[in-house]
Amino acid sequence: MTGFKNGIIEGVTVKDIKRHVDERGWLVECFRHDEVPPVIRPAMAYVSITLPGVARGPHEHVEQTDYFCFLGPGDFKVVLWDNRKESPTVNVKQIIFAGEDNPKIVIVPPGVVHGYKNIGNADGQVLNFPNRLYAGPGRTQKVDEIRHEASALSPFKMDE
């Protein structure tokens, strides 16, 4: 028993990504500053590859908003837990399936614990455009990340 009930978390944005396909291939828009509040503007961008069956997280940020793009290759189970005591959806857990078969943008505000697991059979790619620099300017500051994956007593379990 984790104490979380399934639902939609206040402040989390999940958007379908439209592929514009033509004879050359396809193109998607990952980020448009006219579609998000200024607080979500990216400070950096990175791409990660996650091996099949492997999870990243769960973890949370105190100040950072993550702006994930799940385009493929690969498909992911994304799990979110509202751990914000002041939130109207505190103790809500949200599960999203995203990736090559279901391209999505997932915007995760600070205080929402999150993780994703590659549920496909091939390497999975994820893009992130967070609104904070990793370790601050010049990588001189404490990393804004609270990790939960190493604790056996954590209520945040990817496979429950």
Side-chain angles (χ1 to χ4, degrees):
M1 174 67 182
T2 64
F4 287 87
K5 62 183 182 229
N6 292 330
I8 305 297
I9 296 175
E10 179 82 20
V12 170
T13 301
V14 180
K15 295 171 44 176
D16 292 333
I17 297 175
K18 179 173 176 43
R19 283 192 179 135
H20 301 276
V21 180
D22 66 19
E23 61 279 352
R24 299 169 296 176
W26 57 264
L27 177 144
V28 300
E29 293 180 349
C30 294
F31 178 83
R32 291 184 57 98
H33 75 83
D34 59 341
E35 295 180 351
V36 296
V39 70
I40 298 176
R41 300 282 160 75
M44 62 180 290
Y46 67 85
V47 177
S48 64
I49 293 292
T50 304
L51 302 176
V54 173
R56 292 185 184 263
H59 66 258
E60 64 185 293
H61 306 289
V62 175
E63 297 181 1
Q64 178 175 305
T65 297
D66 280 326
Y67 186 108
F68 293 111
C69 291
F70 296 91
L71 303 172
D75 288 302
F76 292 87
K77 176 183 176 185
V78 183
V79 185
L80 309 161
W81 297 264
D82 193 348
N83 200 34
R84 302 168 296 175
K85 301 302 180 216
E86 74 287 352
S87 171
T89 55
V90 66
N91 295 328
V92 168
K93 176 181 176 182
Q94 184 173 351
I95 298 174
I96 302 156
F97 291 92
E100 187 169 0
D101 293 341
N102 190 26
K104 299 270 188 217
I105 291 169
V106 180
I107 303 173
V108 183
V112 174
V113 178
H114 55 282
Y116 54 81
K117 181 175 183 177
N118 181 346
I119 57 173
N121 295 319
D123 293 357
Q125 177 179 276
V126 178
L127 290 81
N128 191 11
F129 305 90
N131 70 343
R132 297 286 188 268
L133 291 172
Y134 182 82
R139 296 181 183 89
T140 58
Q141 300 174 1
K142 182 180 177 204
V143 175
D144 176 11
E145 189 171 66
I146 302 167
R147 296 187 159 276
H148 298 283
E149 62 266 46
S151 172
L153 300 175
S154 172
F156 313 110
K157 305 290 185 194
M158 292 295 296
D159 293 321
E160 292 181 5

